[in-house]
Amino acid sequence: MTLLDPTYAKKYIPIIASVSEHQPTPWSSFFFDVQFLVFFMPVGLYFCYAKPTYGMLFCALYGVLSVYFACVMIRLMLVFAPACCILAAIGVSELTTKLTSSIKQAFVEDVPEIEEKEEEEEKDTDDQSTGKKKKGGKVKGKKKSKKPAVVETVAKYPFISSVVLLTVIGFILARYVFHSTWVAAEAYSSPSIILASRGRNGEKVLIDDYREAYDWIRLNTDPSDKIMSWWDYGYQITGMANRTVLADGNTWNNTHIATIGKAFASTEEEGYKIARHLDADYVLIIFGGLSYYSGDDVSKFIWMIRIAQGVYPEVVESSFFANGQYRIDEKATDTMKNSLMYRLAYYRYNEVRMSYQHPAGFDTVRNMAVDPTPIKLKYFTEVYTTQRWILRVYKINKDPNREDKIDGSIF
């Protein structure tokens, strides 16, 4: 249904729409993956309809459908890429054939006319030497043959334009080879655990916060401890930290995931009760405000709210928006600033100042400074934050008498 109606998942199944692979494909992704082939693809599509055969029509239909599907979901770029390559190859082949034919024609087009003139001159000479005189002193010779030169009809383009276009096409294809090699090496071969970036002077910087945090969890927590985090990181925590998680990519219970979303969207006290009810010992969140890491939990928080709202009506998405805007600064709503996600993500962050150009607590992803009011946690204790603040681990404070504090009616 999502392929037929792109808005269906967002309206009725937000947990499906929240997955990054299910987001609509931006134009930048098309150009990043196939680069200049995206311009040759329409040319190939034109030639498929200009010379219709069963094979050409199949390629054209495959290309049109793949473009539509790829626009709906970014993961379907895998379907679009082969179709783009095929149609672009057809377009480049037809263009180079026509351009090379025009260049060849420019060199040979005068040869048939010259040979024809030489033959006519030879025939005239023979007629004058062997012809018989008629009455009146006229010479009777053979009739002159005036057949026009037969030149093969070829689509002709200006010589200079053909050479320039061929050079440009060759340069573009060569650049595409280098681009594809770079994308395969830099973008699609790096593990998701270790992030890479470039420093100001161009050197490669490796960001190892994920492995750093998972190692800390594995070495400093009890093997029986359970980690509450958003489901995206469940497999990583289980595999690298060897700890049990509340949800991962194989969690099919939508209500369970919505409950975790509700915990992050609730106040600290309410979120604490839910975390204790789920028998969690630690909370792990991803925060990219210091390191320009846009795929953090604050960015995903809106989807946590939508998923929770589908199960728990008391969670209202609009209450987290200030005048229709998703804000984390002083203008943010009280619901946003009091939510567990906000408090855990920005705890002590107002003490951090990146540069003199930005105020303290400046979030590089949201491009605004956090509310300067200090956050004081009551039910959670910060136990570990990585070097670049990307992963933050909090321990859930335990009470001596658990049954007196946990109210099962909150569900």
Side-chain angles (χ1 to χ4, degrees):
M1 288 300 297
T2 303
L3 293 179
L4 300 179
D5 181 8
T7 63
Y8 179 83
K10 183 178 179 181
K11 293 177 180 177
Y12 304 106
I13 320 177
I15 192 172
I16 299 297
S18 68
V19 181
S20 59
E21 292 86 352
H22 296 165
Q23 299 299 310
T25 309
W27 162 249
S28 58
S29 293
F30 280 99
F31 190 75
F32 181 79
D33 287 342
V34 297
Q35 210 192 27
F36 291 107
L37 295 190
V38 76
F39 300 114
F40 288 116
M41 182 180 178
V43 179
L45 191 63
Y46 165 78
F47 284 116
C48 285
Y49 287 113
K51 299 178 180 180
T53 62
Y54 287 118
M56 289 291 193
L57 292 178
F58 174 79
C59 290
L61 183 61
Y62 177 29
V64 172
L65 292 178
S66 67
V67 170
Y68 170 75
F69 291 143
C71 289
V72 175
M73 285 187 184
I74 192 171
R75 69 186 300 177
L76 295 181
M77 284 292 293
L78 294 173
V79 178
F80 168 76
C84 181
C85 291
I86 294 172
L87 290 176
I90 294 173
V92 171
S93 177
E94 292 290 340
L95 284 177
T96 52
T97 300
K98 293 181 180 297
L99 294 175
T100 51
S101 299
S102 298
I103 295 175
K104 179 181 178 182
Q105 186 67 18
F107 284 108
V108 303
E109 63 181 354
D110 295 333
V111 175
E113 296 180 0
I114 295 173
E115 293 178 351
E116 186 70 22
K117 289 181 180 179
E118 291 177 353
E119 291 178 359
E120 291 180 358
E121 291 177 356
E122 290 177 358
K123 290 180 181 179
D124 291 343
T125 303
D126 293 340
D127 290 344
Q128 290 178 1
S129 60
T130 59
K132 297 180 180 179
K133 291 185 178 180
K134 288 186 177 181
K135 293 180 181 180
K138 294 182 179 180
V139 179
K140 183 180 179 182
K142 296 180 180 179
K143 294 182 179 179
K144 296 180 182 180
S145 176
K146 296 183 179 180
K147 296 181 180 180
V150 179
V151 181
E152 184 180 358
T153 303
V154 179
K156 183 180 176 182
Y157 302 99
F159 176 77
I160 299 298
S161 300
S162 300
V163 173
V164 171
L165 287 176
L166 275 178
T167 303
V168 171
I169 291 175
F171 174 77
I172 288 175
L173 295 179
R175 288 285 300 171
Y176 178 67
V177 173
F178 286 103
H179 174 78
S180 300
T181 304
W182 176 82
V183 168
E186 297 292 335
Y188 295 141
S189 296
S190 300
S192 58
I193 296 295
I194 301 177
L195 307 175
S197 63
R198 295 286 177 181
R200 293 183 178 180
N201 56 357
E203 83 279 7
K204 191 172 185 179
V205 179
L206 295 179
I207 301 175
D208 202 18
D209 285 38
Y210 277 93
R211 189 194 58 80
E212 180 185 337
Y214 296 151
D215 276 353
W216 186 93
I217 293 174
R218 179 172 54 85
L219 297 173
N220 295 275
T221 61
D222 191 88
S224 62
D225 287 339
K226 305 173 188 62
I227 312 296
M228 185 178 83
S229 68
W230 194 234
W231 65 268
D232 293 20
Y233 326 109
Y235 287 142
Q236 294 180 359
I237 298 172
T238 302
M240 298 192 68
N242 195 24
R243 293 296 178 267
T244 302
V245 294
L246 299 186
D248 56 24
N250 197 39
T251 302
W252 289 77
N253 190 336
N254 182 65
T255 303
H256 184 66
I257 296 178
T259 303
I260 298 175
K262 181 187 177 184
F264 286 122
S266 303
T267 62
E268 181 186 352
E269 182 180 2
E270 191 76 8
Y272 167 76
K273 293 179 180 180
I274 297 175
R276 291 294 308 279
H277 180 83
L278 295 174
D279 202 22
D281 300 287
Y282 291 87
V283 177
L284 181 144
I285 66 166
I286 309 298
F287 173 67
L290 183 66
S291 304
Y292 298 89
Y293 184 52
S294 60
D296 63 353
D297 283 341
V298 180
S299 298
K300 298 175 183 177
F301 186 41
I302 186 62
W303 289 107
M304 302 181 194
I305 296 169
R306 289 171 179 169
I307 295 170
Q309 181 180 243
V311 178
Y312 301 101
E314 59 269 24
V315 179
V316 181
E317 179 184 350
S318 59
S319 63
F320 292 86
F321 286 86
N323 297 323
Q325 294 181 327
Y326 187 68
R327 306 186 67 92
I328 53 92
D329 58 357
E330 297 181 51
K331 298 181 180 179
T333 63
D334 292 336
T335 306
M336 169 64 84
K337 289 189 285 188
N338 292 327
S339 65
L340 180 61
M341 174 59 69
Y342 184 94
R343 294 176 68 82
L344 296 184
Y346 293 107
Y347 176 66
R348 295 193 305 108
Y349 192 63
N350 60 335
E351 304 170 4
V352 179
R353 185 165 188 171
M354 296 182 57
S355 64
Y356 292 105
Q357 290 79 16
H358 300 107
F362 185 80
D363 189 322
T364 59
V365 176
R366 268 59 63 176
N367 199 30
M368 61 184 71
V370 69
D371 186 356
T373 305
I375 297 174
K376 296 182 180 180
L377 298 177
K378 180 180 179 181
Y379 300 97
F380 298 85
T381 302
E382 180 187 14
V383 292
Y384 187 74
T385 295
T386 56
Q387 180 182 1
R388 295 175 177 82
W389 287 54
I390 293 180
L391 278 83
R392 310 196 70 183
V393 182
Y394 292 88
K395 183 177 178 61
I396 301 174
N397 299 333
K398 297 296 177 75
D399 292 324
N401 191 346
R402 178 175 177 179
E403 284 72 24
D404 291 343
K405 297 295 182 182
I406 302 302
D407 181 8
S409 63
I410 61 174
F411 300 99

Coordinates of all heavy atoms in Angstrom, one line a residue, residues 70 134 145 157 185 218 241 357:
A70 N 11.4 4.2 -6.8 CA 12.6 4.8 -6.1 C 12.2 6.2 -5.4 O 12.8 6.5 -4.4 CB 13.8 5.0 -7.0
K134 N 28.2 14.9 -88.1 CA 26.9 14.8 -88.8 C 26.9 15.9 -89.9 O 27.9 16.6 -90.0 CB 25.8 15.1 -87.8 CG 25.6 13.9 -86.8 CD 24.3 14.3 -86.0 CE 24.0 13.1 -85.1 NZ 22.8 13.4 -84.3
S145 N 26.2 11.4 -69.4 CA 25.4 10.9 -68.2 C 25.5 11.9 -67.1 O 26.6 12.3 -66.7 CB 26.0 9.6 -67.8 OG 25.4 9.1 -66.6
Y157 N 25.3 16.4 -38.0 CA 25.4 17.5 -37.1 C 26.7 18.2 -37.4 O 27.6 17.7 -38.0 CB 25.5 16.9 -35.6 CG 24.3 16.1 -35.2 CD1 24.4 14.7 -35.3 CD2 23.1 16.7 -34.8 CE1 23.3 14.0 -34.9 CE2 22.0 16.0 -34.5 CZ 22.1 14.6 -34.5 OH 21.0 13.9 -34.2
A185 N 34.0 3.0 -2.0 CA 35.1 2.9 -1.0 C 34.7 3.7 0.2 O 35.0 3.3 1.4 CB 36.4 3.4 -1.6
R218 N 29.8 -3.3 28.1 CA 30.2 -4.7 28.3 C 31.2 -4.9 29.5 O 31.1 -5.9 30.2 CB 30.9 -5.2 27.0 CG 31.4 -6.7 27.1 CD 31.9 -7.1 25.7 NE 32.9 -6.2 25.2 CZ 34.2 -6.3 25.5 NH1 34.7 -7.2 26.3 NH2 35.1 -5.4 25.0
A241 N 27.9 -5.3 22.9 CA 28.0 -5.1 24.3 C 27.6 -6.3 25.1 O 27.8 -6.4 26.3 CB 27.1 -3.9 24.8
Q357 N 32.0 31.7 18.0 CA 30.9 32.1 17.1 C 29.5 31.6 17.6 O 28.5 32.1 17.1 CB 31.2 31.6 15.7 CG 32.3 32.2 15.0 CD 33.7 31.7 15.4 OE1 33.7 30.6 16.0 NE2 34.7 32.4 15.1

